[in-house]
């Protein structure tokens, strides 16, 4: 069963469509989404599919990725829709050739898996920078109406205390720790976006999502929210490998998708917006407890290996202040309890 066939998933999409009247502004326009088969961006594609299925004038979706097989695995027969076009794009390459003309770009391609960051820190950092540079050059040449760059809460680094990060607040990042190739690459990419806006007048805005979860995650995603959700859906115990006291801004993938669409269409240029649901700022331990309770499974502790420790996010507190996003009129539709419960129930449908 494909996720777009899930009744619960469609109901959840309809809920977020109810807070996205701005989509009517781009009816008849086109949006290219890189990393379209991933956790976040595939949720955006499904939102646009559902919009088109319930409205007369469709938004054309250009789904950019490395292989058609990835799109087929994620979207099934949906890839044959008239409003869907697959585009070959690899964020790690400098020789991409796009022979299309699109109105908007959402750039979400790139590595975010802890294991791969450890294994390929060079590729992780370069991918963050070169991937957006190619798209900014494309936007400059073809007059794209706006580019949305998906950054990360990891750009903030570490700071004292447990207060959420504001968009203008930056903490410490160890430049000589290769695990930080991801966060430093994201920082550099954001500055590149601002530079293209200042020098070439490219319309670009930035979002910094926190920790996103949902049934759109790959089964191979080893981030805790994803791996635990799959374990819970399979009826397996959740295994914690830290005390779980780290504070995170968790967000259901559809809430994240709606926030990104809101910023793309109503946010300010050369500005970053945190994506955080105020109802979902919890500890990793809270996340595990909610998942275990919703799935009726156990929760236990194990000592992590040294290699596993290398992949841990070094930030104790990565909670995000969402005032700027809320001022755009964004509304989070799912609390942590509801979003995590729906994630488990939908995964049980499609596994």
């Amino acid at each position: 069963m494909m996720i777009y066939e899930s009744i619960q998933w469609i109901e959840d999409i309809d809920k977020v469509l109810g807070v996205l009247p701005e989509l009517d502004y781009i009816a008849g326009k086109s949006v290219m989404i890189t990393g379209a088969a991933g956790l976040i961006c595939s949720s955006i594609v499904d939102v646009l599919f559902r919009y088109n299925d319930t409205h007369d004038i469709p938004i054309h979706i250009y789904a950019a990725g490395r292989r058609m097989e990835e799109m087929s695995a994620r979207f099934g027969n949906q890839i044959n829709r008239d409003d869907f076009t697959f585009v070959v794009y690899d964020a790690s390459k400098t020789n991409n050739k796009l022979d299309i003309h699109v109105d908007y770009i959402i750039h979400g391609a790139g590595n975010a898996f802890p294991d791969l960051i450890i294994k390929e820190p060079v590729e992780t950092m370069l991918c963050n920078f070169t991937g957006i540079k190619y798209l900014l050059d494309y936007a400059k040449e073809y007059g794209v109406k706006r580019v949305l760059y998906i950054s990360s809460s990891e750009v903030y680094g570490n700071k004292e205390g447990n207060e959420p990060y504001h968009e203008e607040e930056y903490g410490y990042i160890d430049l000589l720790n290769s695990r930080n190739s991801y966060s430093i690459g994201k920082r550099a990419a954001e500055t590149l976006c601002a530079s293209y806006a200042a020098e070439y007048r490219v319309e670009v805005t930035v979002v910094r999502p926190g920790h996103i979860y949902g049934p759109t995650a790959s089964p191979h995603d080893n981030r805790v929210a994803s791996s635990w959700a799959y374990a819970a859906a399979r009826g397996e115990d959740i295994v914690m490998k830290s005390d779980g006291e780290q504070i995170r801004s968790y967000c259901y993938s559809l809430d994240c998708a709606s926030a990104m669409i809101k910023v793309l269409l109503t946010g300010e240029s050369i500005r970053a917006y945190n994506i955080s649901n105020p109802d979902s700022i919890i500890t990793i331990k809270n996340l595990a407890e909610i998942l275990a309770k919703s799935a009726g499974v156990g929760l236990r502790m194990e000592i992590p290996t040294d290699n596993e420790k290398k992949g841990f996010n070094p930030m104790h507190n990565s909670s995000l202040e969402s005032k700027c996003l809320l001022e755009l009129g964004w509304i989070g539709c799912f609390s942590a309890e509801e979003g995590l419960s729906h994630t488990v129930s939908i995964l049980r449908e499609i596994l």
Side-chain angles (χ1 to χ4, degrees):
M1 176 181 175
M2 305 304 294
I3 190 172
Y4 199 71
E5 300 172 302
S6 164
I7 294 174
Q8 182 65 71
W9 185 242
I10 293 299
E11 288 179 353
D12 289 353
I13 294 174
D14 286 343
K15 195 171 181 178
V16 301
L17 281 177
V19 298
L20 284 175
E22 295 85 0
L23 281 175
D24 289 341
Y25 303 165
I26 59 171
K29 305 294 185 182
S30 57
V31 181
M32 181 170 70
I33 304 166
T34 71
L39 165 63
I40 295 172
C41 288
S42 70
S43 298
I44 297 174
V45 172
D46 277 352
V47 169
L48 297 181
F49 276 156
R50 185 61 176 167
Y51 176 87
N52 291 347
D53 288 343
T54 55
H55 292 76
D56 294 331
I57 303 175
I59 299 164
H60 196 89
I61 303 160
Y62 287 90
R66 289 174 295 182
R67 294 179 294 274
M68 174 60 90
E69 291 79 7
E70 292 177 334
M71 299 297 166
S72 297
R74 170 57 179 86
F75 299 111
N77 291 332
Q78 301 288 96
I79 63 172
N80 298 316
R81 294 170 58 124
D82 291 338
D83 57 359
F84 181 93
T85 301
F86 170 66
V87 178
V88 177
Y89 169 81
D90 187 338
S92 68
K93 306 296 184 184
T94 58
N95 60 346
N96 287 285
K97 290 181 173 57
L98 296 178
D99 56 358
I100 56 174
H101 188 180
V102 300
D103 297 301
Y104 297 91
I105 296 174
I106 297 174
H107 180 45
N111 170 43
F113 296 166
D115 284 355
L116 198 55
I117 293 172
I118 296 169
K119 183 181 178 182
E120 299 180 352
V122 173
E123 291 80 1
T124 296
M125 189 166 184
L126 291 177
C127 180
N128 274 323
F129 196 79
T130 61
I132 187 60
K133 182 186 183 302
Y134 175 82
L135 295 174
L136 291 169
D137 284 331
Y138 171 88
K140 173 190 167 189
E141 180 178 355
Y142 289 97
V144 171
K145 296 181 186 301
R146 174 164 279 187
V147 177
L148 177 77
Y149 177 62
I150 302 176
S151 185
S152 168
S153 61
E154 287 202 32
V155 300
Y156 290 117
N158 279 307
K159 70 167 184 175
E160 298 294 328
N162 292 329
E163 292 300 312
Y165 282 88
H166 298 267
E167 282 84 353
E168 296 81 19
E169 183 179 21
Y170 301 98
Y172 171 75
I173 295 179
D174 181 359
L175 304 184
L176 297 183
N177 179 348
S178 63
R179 169 61 179 80
N180 293 330
S181 63
Y182 179 76
S183 53
I184 294 296
K186 289 290 189 181
R187 277 190 175 186
E190 285 195 26
T191 303
L192 188 65
C193 288
S195 300
Y196 267 77
E199 185 171 347
Y200 302 124
R201 300 294 183 264
V202 173
E203 269 287 324
V204 59
T205 191
V206 175
V207 289
R208 296 172 181 158
H211 291 254
I212 312 305
Y213 66 88
T216 51
S218 164
H220 309 293
D221 187 339
N222 66 321
R223 289 170 288 189
V224 292
S226 300
S227 61
W228 287 350
Y230 271 96
R234 293 190 297 263
E236 302 168 2
D237 287 351
I238 291 174
V239 180
M240 290 182 57
K241 298 195 175 184
S242 73
D243 60 13
E245 294 304 316
Q246 304 94 322
I247 303 169
R248 301 289 184 252
S249 282
Y250 287 103
C251 190
Y252 190 40
S253 60
L254 284 175
D255 269 341
C256 183
S258 71
M260 290 181 177
I261 292 170
K262 184 77 74 173
V263 173
L264 174 70
L265 300 179
T266 68
E268 294 181 24
S269 186
I270 326 179
R271 183 167 184 177
Y273 292 85
N274 288 335
I275 293 182
S276 173
N277 186 338
D279 293 332
S280 295
I281 297 178
I282 57 176
T283 65
I284 292 177
K285 183 179 180 180
N286 293 151
L287 170 79
E289 290 169 341
I290 294 169
L291 278 170
K293 181 179 179 181
S294 66
V297 299
L299 173 60
R300 55 190 174 86
M301 292 283 298
E302 283 186 5
I303 297 174
T305 65
D306 289 340
N307 197 52
E308 286 172 330
K309 288 180 182 178
K310 291 179 183 178
F312 289 176
N313 184 333
M315 300 171 67
H316 173 77
N317 168 33
S318 62
S319 60
L320 304 175
E321 168 63 56
S322 54
K323 180 181 177 183
C324 293
L325 178 63
L326 295 173
E327 287 176 347
L328 295 180
W330 178 76
I331 299 171
C333 295
F334 303 91
S335 66
E337 289 78 7
E338 186 176 15
L340 290 165
S341 174
H342 288 194
T343 295
V344 171
S345 64
I346 293 168
L347 285 176
R348 283 178 168 169
E349 283 186 81
I350 64 180
L351 286 179

